[in-house]
Amino acid sequence: MIIIIGGGIAGLSLAWHLIRRGEKITLIDQGKVGSGASAAACAYLEPRLGTGAMRTLEWASLKSWPSFIKEIEQISGQSVDYRRDGQLRVAFASNFNALMKNAEERKAQGWNIHWLEGAEVQNREPHLSQNVVAAAFLPDVPWVDGQKLCRAIAIAITKSGGTVLENHKVERLLLKNGYACGIATKQTRLKADRIVLAAGMGTNELEGLPVDFLKCRPVRGVNLSLNMTAETPLVRHLIRHPDNTVLCPRSDGTLLVGPTHEDGEISNLVAPETISRLF
């Protein structure tokens, strides 16, 4: 059996693919699946520029995403709010040349990209600032509701014979002859042939790891969640500001604004000045 510690998108998607290969899987999360960073993130797919292996992996992921979403929704019976309205990378006078250069680099690397003048941007998104002078439209950038996706994958896992244990905090790894052979929570002990760590910052709290095991470095991202009218939303594209702030609309009328990028911060308590900065 394979035990996966962590019920975010990384642990859940790995569990799903392993089950499809015939592996016996138990996934464990200290809370509800998808209740951490995977739930708070805007969750959009935008492969990076460059020529490295990570870019190749990101493009492969982007291309396989529609079939993955279709499979998860069919098996789970849940909608994950998969949106394909595309991304608008907006430009003001101060960053016009930088965005133009970025758009040219993307086109040279095979991106499907369209340059929009100010009037065209306002026609697509009339609630954006009149100071927006242009935008690069990336129609291939999709996004998804991370919390709904995590829940749907968990349902698909259990329907396919896997086990998902929520509210089970793994306190330590069980060792035999220096090798991990299982896990211990307050509620139970489980043996495993292999163990996967996908718990993010929670990994730092695990007992039984090698003394030279690398620690996770915290970086907190805060998104502001606003209510729109679902029938007449303020925006319908994913909007990318020059400072990397994103406006991410959900089909239920929610609008996410953010994220911040705070190195070393692990608290769930958000300072008032952080909220003011997002406004």
Side-chain angles (χ1 to χ4, degrees):
M1 180 174 72
I2 301 175
I3 290 178
I4 297 176
I5 304 173
I9 187 60
L12 285 161
S13 56
L14 174 61
W16 173 247
H17 287 295
L18 288 173
I19 280 179
R20 301 295 276 174
R21 289 172 47 181
E23 301 285 355
K24 184 178 180 181
I25 300 295
T26 295
L27 181 138
I28 304 176
D29 194 84
Q30 65 178 348
K32 294 289 186 180
V33 297
S35 60
S38 296
C42 294
Y44 62 95
L45 297 177
E46 181 191 338
R48 69 193 68 195
L49 291 169
T51 58
M54 186 58 72
R55 175 183 179 272
T56 301
L57 179 63
E58 289 172 346
W59 271 108
S61 175
L62 180 63
K63 291 176 181 177
S64 66
W65 200 250
S67 60
F68 170 63
I69 294 296
K70 182 179 179 180
E71 182 179 52
I72 292 298
E73 289 189 328
Q74 286 180 342
I75 295 176
S76 68
Q78 305 290 309
S79 169
V80 300
D81 193 16
Y82 180 54
R83 298 280 298 267
R84 306 184 72 175
D85 300 291
Q87 181 193 94
L88 282 176
R89 300 174 68 93
V90 300
F92 299 89
S94 59
N95 74 300
F96 178 87
N97 291 335
L99 183 62
M100 177 74 80
K101 180 181 178 181
N102 182 274
E104 291 172 351
E105 290 176 352
R106 290 179 185 277
K107 185 169 291 188
Q109 293 192 13
W111 275 87
N112 180 15
I113 188 167
H114 307 282
W115 186 258
L116 305 178
E117 300 296 339
E120 296 174 286
V121 178
Q122 292 297 325
N123 184 54
R124 286 175 179 260
E125 296 289 2
H127 294 291
L128 289 182
S129 169
Q130 295 292 324
N131 293 326
V132 172
V133 297
F137 177 49
L138 282 62
D140 296 329
V141 174
W143 65 99
V144 69
D145 187 316
Q147 193 167 30
K148 289 181 179 179
L149 177 58
C150 286
R151 176 55 55 187
I153 299 175
I155 292 172
I157 288 171
T158 57
K159 284 188 173 182
S160 301
T163 300
V164 176
L165 298 178
E166 297 180 303
N167 301 311
H168 279 61
K169 183 177 181 178
V170 177
E171 297 180 330
R172 67 184 183 278
L173 302 179
L174 302 177
L175 305 177
K176 184 177 181 180
N177 298 325
Y179 292 90
C181 62
I183 58 93
T185 72
K186 287 184 178 179
Q187 299 96 323
T188 188
R189 290 187 175 204
L190 295 174
K191 293 182 179 181
D193 302 305
R194 284 165 289 174
I195 298 173
V196 177
L197 303 179
M201 285 300 300
T203 304
N204 292 347
E205 301 175 9
L206 274 177
E207 296 180 18
L209 293 173
V211 294
D212 59 349
F213 195 85
L214 294 176
K215 296 288 186 181
C216 291
R217 179 176 63 89
V219 179
R220 184 176 72 176
V222 176
N223 278 314
L224 184 66
S225 181
L226 304 175
N227 289 327
M228 303 184 293
T229 302
E231 293 76 17
T232 55
L234 294 175
V235 296
R236 65 182 186 88
H237 298 84
L238 188 79
I239 310 296
R240 184 82 174 263
H241 190 276
D243 67 2
N244 290 325
T245 299
V246 170
L247 301 180
C248 179
R250 301 279 191 232
S251 297
D252 63 2
T254 302
L255 178 65
L256 297 182
V257 182
T260 60
H261 187 97
E262 302 168 79
D263 266 320
E265 184 60 69
I266 60 174
S267 173
N268 288 327
L269 299 176
V270 181
E273 54 266 27
T274 299
I275 298 175
S276 298
R277 189 162 68 250
L278 290 172
F279 266 118

